[in-house]
Amino acid sequence: MGMLSAFANPHRFLALSHWLAPLFYVVGAALIAWGLWQGLWVVPKDDYQGGDIMRVMFIHVPAAWLAMASYSAMAAASFIWFIWRHELADIAAKAIAPLGAVWTVLCLATGSIWGKPTWGTWWQWDDARMMSVLFLFFLFLGYMALRAAMDSRQKAARAGAILAMVGALNVPLIKFSVDMFTSLHQDASVITADGPKMAAVYLWPLMMSGLGHSLLFGALVMTLMRAEIWTRRAARQRARLLAGA
Amino acid sequence: MSPKPILSAFRQALGESWAGGAGALLPLGFFAGAAVLVPLGIGTEPGMLRAVGPGILWVSLALSSLVTLERIFQADVEDGALDLWLQAGAPVSAIAAAKTFAHWLTAGLPLALMSPVLALMFQAQAGIGLLTGALIYGIGGLAFFFWGGVGAALSATVRRGGLLIALIALPLYVPTAIFGSMAMRGAALGDTAPLLLAASTLFALAAAPFAMAAALRLAAD
């Protein structure tokens, strides 16, 4: 709890993110650029995965990681806000939602682009992972729509937190139910019980690209959070000025 | 805590949804209307109708639950009943569950009971399977109403919250829709799919009332 409270201080957050966000932007962009350069020009193509089109993996897989990680992060932030009422946690949840939705769409779009030449279809209804990511997207949309419909910041925070927690409770069930469909998607091949089974030549660019996307995501979240904090301060300042005048 | 506020809320919700919507006729009419639009839209070939029929009934059931739930908690927010419950320290989660259950009784159960008729119109085989099907639709409908109730409680203060309820609730309907349509394909009650359907409904019954209570406390502020 001590550490959580330390992070909950907006002043400390502003001071920290002042240099951390630019750092994340630069390192994230560099890693993504390196991963793309490796992926598009250096690594050999894999004919079992559709030839050159498999190079979309270096965006698709990081996007899938982030789609799942961002919903978990949003639910965790909502939980922290709901229990301890740290304002920063709500600001974080609010900032994560639109970004998570964007990476979810990125995952779906690159998946479709990969799927068309390899499986012969843009969309496969009985693929469990496509369905899971699609429902994740709807969970993000519902969260944003609910927040937008509330008439005060406090109510938006509470309603959003309740919905994010209900969603997080349901995610395992949704995942389990769509898994019961048969799947033509290739099985998980980066993280398995006996270590990664992907060739190292693909693994390194993929890991770096994943790290780069995560850093970029983190930087964007921090930027949105900073904007929200400054917006709130400006509103308070305006109210104070009006009251004084 | 005495069960009195729970019982009176249950009775009132029963009366409201029965009297306010021409008894069970309105939801039944909506359910049947939504279902019979499908053959007009996709064609009348018997083999195809038999294949899609159970799924169409699931979709119609989900839509009917969303339509009937829109105002379930709004009236309580507007007429102050919610404030009274909170002041009296009444168990809001139990009241919300009782109200949702009452709505399922008047608007969900009749649809399940009517499903054999619609299933016959969709060329299903007559027989005991139709009654099993009605039971499965009844169990699945209960989960629809409880998750839909969470959406309704969250948007109780939102004007024209119907679309919002749908967007919030539809991802939560996924397990029920999947297990339900798998159960209809198997159609023997001891199989895995009906048991999973029942389990996910029990999960909804256990979890949704607390989410509804948290949302209603928010609506009262």
Side-chain angles (χ1 to χ4, degrees), chain A residues 14-203:
Chain A
L14 284 176
L16 182 73
S17 61
H18 182 68
W19 58 269
L20 201 59
L23 182 71
F24 276 20
Y25 275 121
V26 171
V27 178
L31 286 175
I32 292 173
W34 185 78
L36 281 183
W37 170 65
Q38 286 281 315
L40 291 180
W41 284 285
V42 178
V43 301
K45 66 182 180 190
D46 181 347
D47 286 324
Y48 287 109
Q49 296 300 334
D52 274 327
I53 193 71
M54 56 70 69
R55 297 177 193 279
V56 79
M57 173 178 80
F58 296 99
I59 295 174
H60 176 68
V61 173
W65 280 344
L66 272 169
M68 289 182 284
S70 58
Y71 194 83
S72 315
M74 191 177 86
S78 299
F79 180 77
I80 289 170
W81 183 84
F82 200 76
I83 302 295
W84 290 292
R85 290 292 196 272
H86 287 317
E87 275 309 306
L88 213 50
D90 175 58
I91 294 173
K94 187 187 178 191
I96 291 170
L99 296 170
V102 166
W103 258 272
T104 310
V105 168
L106 188 65
C107 173
L108 290 171
T110 50
S112 280
I113 292 168
W114 195 356
K116 182 60 180 163
T118 35
W119 302 338
T121 175
W122 296 106
W123 188 258
Q124 183 71 30
W125 281 101
D126 57 10
D127 180 81
R129 284 192 265 174
M130 291 173 93
M131 300 297 284
S132 298
V133 175
L134 180 65
F135 294 130
L136 215 49
F137 177 61
F138 280 115
L139 285 172
F140 278 124
L141 281 192
Y143 178 87
M144 286 189 283
L146 181 64
R147 283 195 80 117
M150 291 289 145
D151 52 16
S152 77
R153 187 160 57 74
Q154 190 71 7
K155 282 191 170 185
R158 266 171 82 180
I162 295 168
L163 182 61
M165 288 190 291
V166 168
L169 263 186
N170 273 276
V171 162
L173 191 60
I174 295 174
K175 181 84 176 72
F176 175 71
S177 65
V178 298
D179 274 349
M180 287 193 61
F181 284 130
T182 52
S183 171
L184 59 73
H185 209 120
Q186 66 156 321
D187 289 329
S189 54
V190 175
I191 299 167
T192 59
D194 15 305
K197 57 182 181 191
M198 186 180 279
V201 63
Y202 296 127
L203 191 60

Side-chain angles (χ1 to χ4, degrees), chain B residues 4 6 18 33 42-43 45 48 53 93 101-102 110 128 137 156 181 190 205:
Chain B
K4 228 177 149 203
I6 306 172
W18 190 262
I42 65 170
E45 203 266 305
M48 181 174 62
S93 54
F101 188 70
I128 194 74
Y137 285 120
S181 54
L205 293 180

Side-chain angles (χ1 to χ4, degrees), chain B residues 10-89:
Chain B
F10 177 73
R11 226 175 282 138
Q12 193 202 351
L14 215 53
E16 250 169 32
S17 66
W18 190 262
L25 273 180
L26 194 58
L28 273 179
F30 180 85
F31 179 60
V36 300
L37 267 182
V38 172
L40 304 181
I42 65 170
T44 56
E45 203 266 305
M48 181 174 62
L49 285 184
R50 193 173 301 135
V52 300
I56 299 304
L57 293 190
W58 279 114
V59 173
S60 309
L61 188 60
L63 292 179
S64 313
S65 72
L66 290 174
V67 171
T68 55
L69 282 171
E70 180 173 356
R71 281 193 53 80
I72 174 171
F73 296 120
Q74 275 182 1
D76 299 324
V77 175
E78 284 159 12
D79 69 9
L82 181 61
D83 296 324
L84 289 178
W85 292 333
L86 289 171
Q87 269 172 24

